[in-house]
């Protein structure tokens, strides 16, 4: 009887430690998602800001400036539920404006254009990377949250189910092709 009680207590302690470790792991994954989302938001804001600066600099032709400015402004002002669409539209506007290598060269040849083109190139390259880090963290947390032990023991607490950030983030080939 005593041996059975001891083994039962040992089993309960081991199960408790395992569940505690799993809950800690899930908490770390949620913290990683938060950090990755903050980094993604910073990169998206930087890209929109650089695009707006370039649109208002007078380096681009008026039609391209208007298209780029409106898309960048919409991306900066978008509500959370419309953010993915607005950021995708900014990506499409960037591809439309910098579709031709001649447009990129015209920007680079303008006074201050080399710096503006370099900043925009860096910004459009960092967005896919930040989005990939965020979505990888979301994927890992989702995989762990799908386990029965996490659901049955409610190890995720009241944390919302993590959502990936899906957007079109393909950079303009003419913009990043030259710098590669």
């Amino acid at each position: 009887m005593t041996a059975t009680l001891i083994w039962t207590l040992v089993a309960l302690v081991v199960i408790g430690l395992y569940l505690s470790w799993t809950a800690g792991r899930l908490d770390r994954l949620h913290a990683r998602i938060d950090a990755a989302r903050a980094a993604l938001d910073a990169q998206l804001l930087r890209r929109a800001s650089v695009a707006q600066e370039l649109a208002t600099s007078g380096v681009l032709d008026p039609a391209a400036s208007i298209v780029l400015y409106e898309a960048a402004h919409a991306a900066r002002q978008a509500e959370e539920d419309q953010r993915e669409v607005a950021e995708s539209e900014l990506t499409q506007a960037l591809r439309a404006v910098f579709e031709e290598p001649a447009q990129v060269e015209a920007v680079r040849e303008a006074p201050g254009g080399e710096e503006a083109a370099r900043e925009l190139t860096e910004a459009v390259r960092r967005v896919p990377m930040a989005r990939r880090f965020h979505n990888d963290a979301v994927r890992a947390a989702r995989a762990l949250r799908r386990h029965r032990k996490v659901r049955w023991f409610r190890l995720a607490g009241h944390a919302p189910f993590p959502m990936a950030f899906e957007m079109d983030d393909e950079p303009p080939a003419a913009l990043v092709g030259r710098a590669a």
Side-chain angles (χ1 to χ4, degrees):
M1 171 89 168
T2 307
T4 305
L5 184 61
I6 289 174
W7 283 111
T8 303
L9 287 174
V10 167
L12 288 174
V13 167
V14 168
I15 290 170
L17 287 173
Y18 178 70
L19 291 175
S20 174
W21 175 81
T22 303
R25 181 171 168 229
L26 191 56
D27 185 52
R28 287 188 300 276
L29 282 172
H30 283 143
R32 191 171 122 201
I33 289 170
D34 291 342
R37 181 59 188 240
L40 175 61
D41 286 341
Q43 292 305 321
L44 291 171
L45 181 63
R46 180 171 183 253
R47 180 181 76 154
S49 297
V50 170
Q52 261 186 328
E53 281 182 32
L54 187 60
T56 58
S57 68
V59 174
L60 299 172
D61 64 89
S65 292
I66 291 171
V67 167
L68 194 57
Y69 181 83
E70 287 179 355
H73 181 72
R76 290 183 72 176
Q77 300 298 318
E79 297 292 326
E80 193 59 36
D81 60 337
Q82 294 296 315
R83 183 102 188 262
E84 293 171 350
V85 173
E87 294 295 345
S88 292
E89 288 173 354
L90 175 56
T91 300
Q92 292 164 2
L94 285 165
R95 279 200 307 260
V97 170
F98 295 107
E99 182 178 19
E100 298 294 325
Q103 178 73 8
V104 176
E105 289 305 316
V107 168
R108 290 183 192 280
E109 291 170 1
E114 185 68 37
E115 177 69 20
R118 186 185 57 75
E119 283 183 37
L120 185 60
T121 301
E122 289 175 7
V124 299
R125 282 186 174 176
R126 289 181 179 160
V127 167
M129 192 180 338
R131 189 177 73 86
R132 198 170 311 120
F133 285 141
H134 175 267
N135 288 350
D136 286 346
V138 167
R139 197 172 304 113
R142 282 180 166 186
L144 185 57
R145 285 183 71 154
R146 285 191 182 108
H147 288 216
R148 275 182 283 205
K149 67 180 176 273
V150 173
R151 290 191 320 261
W152 287 352
F153 292 102
R154 297 180 183 225
L155 299 181
H158 296 289
F161 196 74
M163 300 302 292
F165 194 87
E166 298 299 333
M167 65 171 270
D168 177 6
D169 61 3
E170 183 68 32
L175 188 62
V176 296
R178 180 180 180 269

